[in-house]
Amino acid sequence: MKNVSTVWLIIVAGILVLAFVLVMNSSLSGVAQVVLLAVLGIAAVACFALLVVNAIGRPHG
């Protein structure tokens, strides 16, 4: 995943967080909402983790 752009990771993470908020505020309920929130939450955390890995892996200087 070294060639994934930081900009794209930020855009994808933002979209996932926005989708998470929209699902929370929707009329969806029950198992479907729980599953969607879990998937979106895990995907958002994974994007943020990739951002951190990209930031740590960059040479300074």
Side-chain angles (χ1 to χ4, degrees), residues 12-58:
V12 169
I15 291 171
L16 288 169
V17 169
L18 183 63
F20 188 87
V21 170
L22 288 174
V23 169
M24 282 181 56
N25 290 328
S26 72
S27 61
L28 203 61
S29 63
V31 176
Q33 184 181 24
V34 171
V35 170
L36 270 174
L37 289 174
V39 169
L40 290 171
I42 291 169
V45 168
C47 280
F48 287 119
L50 282 173
L51 277 170
V52 170
V53 167
N54 278 351
I56 290 173
R58 295 226 170 130

Side-chain angles (χ1 to χ4, degrees), residues 4-18:
V4 175
S5 172
T6 303
V7 174
W8 282 111
L9 283 173
I10 292 169
I11 291 170
V12 169
I15 291 171
L16 288 169
V17 169
L18 183 63

